[in-house]
Amino acid sequence: MTDKNDTKTVALACDHAGLPMKLALLPVLEQLGLNPLDLGTHSGDSVDYPDFAELMAQALADDRASRGILVCGTGIGISIAANRHSHIRAALCHNSTDARLSRQHNDANVIALGARTMGIEVALESLTVFLQTDFEGGRHARRVEKMTPTVRMPDVM
Ligand code: RB5
């Protein structure tokens, strides 16, 4: 990770379906010398994934972490919810190629994984690649910039 505001802290959040995978991913952060910020959920009781996407959005907005990991059953719901926030670029990754390109081309700051749709070995590899790959910039920076909302002047009647 080479972000300018790199805090070496990576936030994790999941719903009940994602809990086992989130717990299995935690050691990767330690292996890479990164600090986990575990935003829950912490039990198998049924919860709503948008609530945990919201906690992730807050943690990144407050600079309590520079990257995030989201896990739900498919990774779909929690990534849709997180991407409602303009400072979040959550990439739903199914393999390490997705993870690498989400960093190189899209400057994704959050990886979303599906606990019910991918094996743990592929998830571990994808996360490792995600955390170790830099944004390429250049033409990709222009495209990412086009996804960043600008302040719009109100329409003049
Ligand atoms: C929870 O049952 C499940 O719907 C959720 O984890 C996720 O897969 C939604 O996208």
Side-chain angles (χ1 to χ4, degrees), residues 15-18 47 49 71-78 116:
D15 69 358
H16 54 288
V47 291
Y49 58 81
V71 192
C72 70
T74 58
I76 296 171
I78 206 161
R116 292 173 176 165

Side-chain angles (χ1 to χ4, degrees), residues 16 18 83 91 151:
H16 54 288
N83 279 321
V151 178

Side-chain angles (χ1 to χ4, degrees), residues 5-42:
N5 64 342
D6 184 4
T7 62
K8 288 221 171 256
T9 298
V10 177
L12 304 97
C14 65
D15 69 358
H16 54 288
L19 180 60
M21 179 172 278
K22 183 189 72 176
L23 295 177
L25 295 175
L26 271 165
V28 171
L29 302 184
E30 194 179 339
Q31 285 160 20
L32 296 176
L34 301 168
N35 307 319
L37 173 64
D38 190 344
L39 303 170
T41 189
H42 300 292

